[in-house]
Amino acid sequence: MRIGPYALANNLIVAPMAGVTDRPFRQLCKRFGAGHAVSEMITADQSLRLTKKTQRRADFTGELAPISVQIAGSEPEKLAEAARYQVANGAQIVDINMGCPVKKVCNKLAGSALLQDEALVQEILERVVAAVEVPVTLKTRLGFCNGEENIHRVAELAENAGIAALAIHGRTREDMYNGNARYELIRAVKAARRLPIIANGDIDTPHKARQVLEMTGADAIMIGRAAQGRPWLFREIGHFLASGELLPPPDVSEVRAVMMEHLDALYAFYGEYSGVRIARKHIAWTTKGLQGGNAFRQAMYALESSAEQARATREFFDRLSAMSDTLVYDDDSAANDGTAPQQQ
C-alpha cells in the first residue's frame, strides 16, 4: 500500500476518530502493527488554531512517519490554507474529512454534509491538492442519504483532482453507525477507479478483515471503533492475513502492561486534570465485559487523581491475573460485543 511516495508498513490503517486517535493512541496502534494512522479531525477555522485542543491534535512529536493530518471544514480556501499550515507543522500527508456524520459538524456543512454539494466537493479537492506538495487523501461515506448514494461521482472527482488515496466508510450519513456496512459499493468503486481504495466499517476480527479485503478488492482496510480498548487487534489481523492462523488473546499481564503504559502517556500528554478524564474512556473500553469490570469502572469514574486511577487499574488487573493468565469475561455475550478478542 502506497500513499504518494510513502510505502506503508502494511495495509492496516487506524481510522481518524475525534476524541480517540490522539498521539498516544496512534502510537499504541502502530506499536501493535498498524501500518498507518490518521490524526483526529482538526478544524480549518483559523480562530481555533491556538486553542489547547487544536494544538494537542496537531502535536506529532516522536510519531512514526508518515504523519497524516485530517482537516475539516466547508470553505475551499480555508481548507487549502489549513493544509499549508499543517504541512509547515510537520504533516507529510493531508487527509480531508467528508465522512464525519455528527450533527455539530454537518450543521456547519462540513464532514459528510459536503456530499450534498458535488461542485463544492470538487472545488475543495482541487484547491487543497493544489495548495500543498504532499499527498492529499480523502475520507468519505457512500453518500448523504440512502437512495442517493453518490460515491461513484465523488470517487471520480477525487481521482481527477489528484487525490492520492480514498477511504470509504460503507454507510451513508443517514445510516450514522446503524445497520451493516455495504461493501458492494466499495467493491464497485474499486473496480472503476485507479487510485488506492481503503475499505472502512465493521471490521472487528481477523476473519472479517480478510473477508472485506477479498470482497472489495480494496488496497487497504481502515479500523476504528473495534480498536478502542483493543489495539492488539492490528497484530491479530496482521498475523492472520500473513499466516492464516489466529493468535491467542493477549495475556492479562500484557494487557495490564499496555494499559499502564497508555495511562502514563495520557497523563504526560494531557496533564493531570484532562489526562485522568480522557483516560476513563480508554480504561472503560479495555475492561468492558471483563469479570468484575462493571463494579471497577463505577469506582474508577469517581477517582480524581492520576495516582488513584493508575493504582486502581493496576490492582484490577492484578486481581484478574490471580484468577487466570488469560482474560476472563463475565459471559459469552460480553466477550463478543466487539471489545474482547474474538476468534472464529
Side-chain angles (χ1 to χ4, degrees), residues 3-118:
I3 299 178
Y6 300 107
L8 305 186
N10 57 42
N11 59 351
L12 308 180
I13 301 174
V14 186
M17 295 176 283
V20 181
T21 49
D22 53 19
R23 192 184 75 198
F25 187 77
R26 294 194 303 272
Q27 290 177 318
L28 185 60
C29 291
K30 287 179 178 179
R31 171 182 155 190
F32 274 104
H36 187 52
V38 184
S39 80
E40 296 179 84
M41 176 175 62
I42 299 176
T43 179
D45 187 343
Q46 295 181 36
S47 67
L48 300 175
R49 188 169 289 165
L50 297 180
T51 64
K52 285 186 178 180
K53 178 183 286 188
T54 300
Q55 288 184 320
R56 283 199 188 102
R57 289 183 173 183
D59 183 343
F60 313 109
T61 306
E63 189 162 353
L64 293 174
I67 295 168
S68 179
V69 180
Q70 186 180 80
I71 57 175
S74 59
E75 299 177 51
E77 185 49 44
K78 285 187 177 180
L79 282 161
E81 196 283 328
R84 288 189 290 266
Y85 178 85
Q86 294 302 338
V87 170
N89 188 46
Q92 296 165 301
I93 298 170
V94 172
D95 186 64
I96 302 173
N97 184 314
M98 292 190 186
C100 181
V102 302
K103 185 178 294 184
K104 69 179 181 180
V105 174
C106 288
N107 283 349
K108 297 179 181 179
L109 297 180
S112 56
L114 291 168
L115 299 176
Q116 299 171 100
D117 188 339
E118 292 176 19

Side-chain angles (χ1 to χ4, degrees), residues 151-316:
I151 185 59
H152 277 291
R153 293 192 296 276
V154 170
E156 182 179 10
L157 293 173
E159 187 168 88
N160 291 341
I163 291 296
L166 174 62
I168 306 171
H169 185 109
R171 291 181 173 87
T172 63
R173 192 271 173 173
E174 181 182 346
D175 289 330
M176 297 296 285
Y177 294 100
N178 300 316
N180 298 317
R182 289 181 277 160
Y183 304 119
E184 64 276 6
L185 271 174
I186 300 177
R187 179 180 67 238
V189 171
K190 173 59 186 173
R193 305 262 62 94
R194 297 184 303 277
L195 80 170
I197 301 295
I198 303 162
N200 176 225
D202 297 348
I203 301 169
D204 56 4
T205 68
H207 280 93
K208 188 65 175 286
R210 185 174 66 181
Q211 176 189 2
V212 171
L213 283 168
E214 292 175 349
M215 185 183 303
T216 63
D219 300 276
I221 53 176
M222 181 172 275
I223 300 167
R225 291 172 294 162
Q228 294 173 355
R230 189 183 161 201
W232 48 85
L233 177 60
F234 294 98
R235 180 176 66 187
E236 294 175 347
I237 291 174
H239 182 82
F240 182 71
L241 293 178
S243 69
E245 299 174 352
L246 288 168
L247 288 174
D251 290 341
V252 175
S253 59
E254 183 181 16
V255 176
R256 177 188 183 276
V258 169
M259 188 78 260
M260 300 315 299
E261 290 176 21
H262 192 196
L263 292 184
D264 286 342
L266 291 171
Y267 302 150
F269 188 66
Y270 289 102
E272 175 74 13
Y273 182 84
S274 296
V276 167
R277 281 147 185 81
I278 290 168
R280 287 171 181 164
K281 60 188 171 188
H282 291 280
I283 297 170
W285 288 326
T286 304
T287 61
K288 185 177 180 182
L290 290 175
Q291 193 170 88
N294 185 57
F296 159 71
R297 285 190 298 277
Q298 296 309 310
M300 181 270 298
Y301 292 142
L303 301 177
E304 297 289 337
S305 76
S306 59
E308 291 176 316
Q309 187 181 68
R311 182 172 58 252
T313 304
R314 186 166 49 248
E315 291 174 351
F316 172 74

